[in-house]
Amino acid sequence: MASIFTKIINGEIPCHKVAETDDFLAFLDINPNAWGHTLCIPKKEVDRLFDLDEDTYNGLMSFSRKVALAIEKVVSCNRVGVAVVGLEVPHAHVHLIPIDSMTDMDFKNNKARSQKEFAALASEIASQF
Ligand code: AMP
């Protein structure tokens, strides 16, 4: 069965898109640890990050870097933290989380706001990508 992220790639489930290339997609996390929390995924569905072929892995990291630089231009933060977990969604993804302290990395946080605010933030980051 297709992962929820493959459904997002195929447009079957909506997302607040931040950036897209032929091979990768970035969108806002629906349940952000901190405001601006973004997920970067390969369009190729592979569960574990380190099972990606080397080109896709390197491409995902390079794409994530560009997205992080765009996030930093829009979201006030000390830096963008990076996490890879994958226990909830079995489709490799990089969490980019704007942080001022370690508590901003906490997956128990819920910094969600209205759909309107998500849409506005996604479009601002997209304009810097
Ligand atoms: P994990 O697999 O543990 O790395 O976490 C998966 C992440 O995906 C969590 O931070 C969720 O909030 C996020 N997530 C799950 N479904 C969606 C969705 N439909 N749109 C955006 N983010 C999602």
Side-chain angles (χ1 to χ4, degrees):
M1 202 180 81
S3 76
I4 193 162
F5 290 170
T6 292
K7 290 182 180 163
I8 287 175
I9 291 162
N10 293 338
E12 294 162 42
I13 291 179
C15 74
H16 293 290
K17 185 162 73 177
V18 159
E20 183 169 17
T21 66
D22 286 348
D23 297 321
F24 305 103
L25 179 69
F27 52 92
L28 297 180
D29 194 298
I30 205 168
N31 185 23
N33 299 9
W35 187 233
H37 182 168
T38 299
L39 302 175
C40 298
I41 66 172
K43 290 187 178 174
K44 189 185 285 182
E45 183 179 331
V46 171
D47 178 356
R48 292 174 168 79
L49 182 79
F50 296 124
D51 285 342
L52 291 172
D53 63 79
E54 202 169 334
D55 279 352
T56 306
Y57 174 83
N58 289 335
L60 177 62
M61 289 305 151
S62 171
F63 176 75
S64 299
R65 176 179 175 274
K66 285 187 210 152
V67 173
L69 294 174
I71 292 171
E72 279 177 351
K73 286 187 187 141
V74 172
V75 181
S76 165
C77 60
N78 178 282
R79 64 192 60 213
V80 172
V82 178
V84 174
V85 185
L87 290 173
E88 183 187 326
V89 180
H91 183 142
H93 52 282
V94 173
H95 294 261
L96 299 177
I97 307 168
I99 54 171
D100 289 308
S101 71
M102 264 316 278
T103 46
D104 291 326
M105 290 296 289
D106 195 333
F107 280 82
K108 293 191 208 81
N109 295 342
N110 182 352
K111 296 286 170 65
R113 297 198 209 161
S114 69
Q115 290 303 309
K116 204 172 155 188
E117 285 172 298
F118 271 115
L121 178 63
S123 126
E124 256 195 281
I125 298 171
S127 73
Q128 298 295 331
F129 180 72

